[in-house]
Amino acid sequence: MRRLLFIVPLLLFVALVGYFFVALEPGRNSTDLPSTMIGKPAPDFSLPGLPGSPNANGQFVKLGFSKQDMAGRVVVLNFFASWCVPCRVEHPVLMGLGPTANTPVVGIAYKDKPEDALAFLKEYGNPYLAIGVDLDGRTAIDFGLYGVPETYVIDKTGVIRLRHVGPLTAEAVAREILPLVAELSAR
Amino acid sequence: MRIVLIVLALCATTLMARAVEPGEMLKDPALEARARAISRELRCLVCQNESIDDSNADLAHDLRVLLRQRLLAGDSDREAIDFIVRRYGDFVLLKPPVEPATYFLWFGPAALLALGAGGAWLYLRRRTTSADEPPLSPEETRRLEALLREQG
C-alpha cells in the first residue's frame, strides 16, 4: 500500500505527458487553426465576377457566382489574391486539380482589385470554372477565413467538409482533397 | 540634447498610438466604448496573441468594423460576440469559456495545488507523529552511552 502511494506521482506524470503528447499533436503547425465551419452549411453569398474572365478552356464564363450555383455538385472553393505570394506557389497545383479531380474548382478573389486578379489569371492561367470577387472580404469572414490562400471542399448539399489553410501542395491534394472529393461525389 | 528629447517624445507618441483608426470609431461614445471593450476580448486570428483592438492586421481592422456594424444594428454585446464566434470558433475569444471541455484548463491548476497541499499535509503530519515515538529503553540508553564513550 505504501509502495503504491509512491508510484502515484509517477503515474500522474506519465498521464500528463501522454495527454500533452496527444493534445499538442506533434507535427501539426500550431498556427493552423481548426475551422468551426466544418460540417456546417456554407454561408450564403453572391459575388460579382471578373470582367470577362476566361475559364480553364479559355472560354468566358458567367460573371460571378453564388452559393446556389454550387448546389448539387461537390465543389473545391479556393480563396486567392493576386497580391498573395503563397497563392502563386499553389497555382500550378490548382491548375492540375480541375482535370484530375473531375470536379469544379471555383475561386474567390479576396480583397483584390478585379483588374489585378484578371491580370494574375491571364499570366498564370485560370484553373477556376467560376470566379467571384470578394472586395470587402465579408464573404471570407463568413467562411471563417483568416488568411489567403484557403481551400474548402463543399459537398452536394452545400455543407463545408474540409478546409485547407495555406498553399495547396500536390501531397495535400493527393492525401486530403482527392479522396474526399471522390467519396462525396459517390454519395 | 533637445533633439534626443524630441526623438524620445516622438517614440512615446507612437507607443501610445492604438490600432483603432479614427475613421473606424462610432459617433456614439457609449457604443464606441462597448465596441472597444468587446474588441479587447477578441483574438486577432492573424497575430494570434493580440486582441483585434491592438492588432494592425487587415483582418483585425475588418473585424473591428464588422463588430461596430453589428452594434449599430442593435446587437447586444453577447450577440455581437456570438456572431464572430460562429465564424471563428472559441479560439477567437482571448478568455476561453468555462465548459466541460475546458474544466481541466480552468480548475486543473487549483486541483493540482490541492493535491500537492494534501500530500504535503500528510507528510508533515507523519513527521510530527514520528517525534512522539516512545523514549529509549534502558538497554538502548546503555548502548548509546557506551558508543558515545568510545567516540570520546
Side-chain angles (χ1 to χ4, degrees):
Chain A
M1 181 59 209
R2 176 70 70 82
R3 192 71 55 80
L4 220 62
L5 211 61
F6 281 112
I7 299 176
V8 167
L10 184 69
L11 286 179
L12 278 175
F13 177 73
V14 169
L16 206 62
V17 168
Y19 171 74
F20 284 151
F21 192 78
V22 173
L24 292 175
E25 287 179 61
R28 188 179 78 97
N29 182 355
S30 63
T31 54
D32 287 356
L33 304 179
S35 172
T36 50
M37 298 298 289
I38 304 293
K40 290 188 194 158
D44 267 324
F45 65 88
S46 181
L47 296 170
L50 295 174
S53 51
N55 71 4
N57 306 320
Q59 297 159 331
F60 284 75
V61 294
K62 182 181 134 193
L63 291 181
F65 72 106
S66 67
K67 190 189 169 189
Q68 284 69 41
D69 293 335
M70 308 192 299
R73 301 210 265 183
V74 181
V75 169
V76 175
L77 171 63
N78 174 250
F79 282 87
F80 73 102
S82 65
W83 47 262
C84 145
V85 177
C87 300
R88 285 166 197 245
V89 174
E90 75 168 1
H91 206 76
V93 178
L94 281 171
M95 291 297 290
L97 181 60
T100 32
N102 201 17
T103 199
V105 179
V106 294
I108 293 181
Y110 174 69
K111 294 190 142 193
D112 207 0
K113 288 195 199 109
E115 58 269 27
D116 290 351
L118 195 60
F120 172 75
L121 294 177
K122 277 186 174 151
E123 188 178 347
Y124 293 95
N126 175 24
Y128 307 116
L129 196 63
I131 299 157
V133 181
D134 184 18
L135 206 54
D136 60 3
R138 187 51 56 82
T139 298
I141 287 179
D142 286 343
F143 270 87
L145 175 135
Y146 67 101
V148 270
E150 274 185 21
T151 306
Y152 295 80
V153 174
I154 298 167
D155 72 12
K156 290 176 184 170
T157 60
V159 171
I160 297 177
R161 291 296 174 185
L162 179 128
R163 166 167 85 169
H164 179 90
V165 172
L168 278 177
T169 56
E171 195 241 338
V173 165
R175 203 191 49 205
E176 299 175 48
I177 311 270
L178 292 181
L180 183 65
V181 165
E183 185 204 323
L184 293 174
S185 303
R187 278 189 202 171
Chain B
M1 186 59 207
R2 182 172 292 172
I3 289 175
V4 173
L5 280 178
I6 291 172
V7 169
L8 281 178
L10 283 175
C11 289
T13 53
T14 56
L15 282 179
M16 280 185 286
R18 307 291 301 196
V20 183
E21 292 151 33
E24 295 174 16
M25 293 186 185
L26 298 174
K27 289 203 180 65
D28 180 349
L31 220 52
E32 175 64 20
R34 274 173 61 202
R36 291 299 299 274
I38 297 172
S39 62
R40 271 194 283 269
E41 296 294 324
L42 295 178
R43 184 192 303 275
C44 167
L45 283 303
V46 181
C47 333
Q48 300 195 359
N49 264 333
E50 270 188 308
S51 71
I52 60 170
D53 193 54
D54 289 326
S55 174
N56 283 307
D58 275 354
L59 183 63
H61 164 86
D62 291 350
L63 287 175
R64 285 196 298 270
V65 171
L66 176 64
L67 176 66
R68 281 162 175 78
Q69 285 172 356
R70 298 305 308 174
L71 292 180
L72 273 179
D75 271 14
S76 70
D77 289 6
R78 189 73 258 157
E79 285 165 343
I81 292 170
D82 284 347
F83 183 85
I84 291 175
V85 169
R86 271 202 300 282
R87 285 154 180 76
Y88 288 100
D90 286 342
F91 184 78
V92 81
L93 301 169
L94 282 171
K95 195 188 272 181
V98 182
E99 57 188 25
T102 59
Y103 282 168
F104 186 69
L105 179 70
W106 280 100
F107 308 118
L112 286 177
L113 183 69
L115 210 68
W121 182 73
L122 278 177
Y123 173 73
L124 289 173
R125 203 186 55 161
R126 179 154 342 124
R127 229 175 37 162
T128 43
T129 48
S130 69
D132 305 332
E133 272 170 20
L136 300 179
S137 64
E139 168 65 17
E140 283 167 337
T141 317
R142 223 172 299 125
R143 268 192 64 204
L144 180 65
E145 274 168 8
L147 282 169
L148 282 173
R149 220 173 296 129
E150 259 173 51
Q151 297 255 310

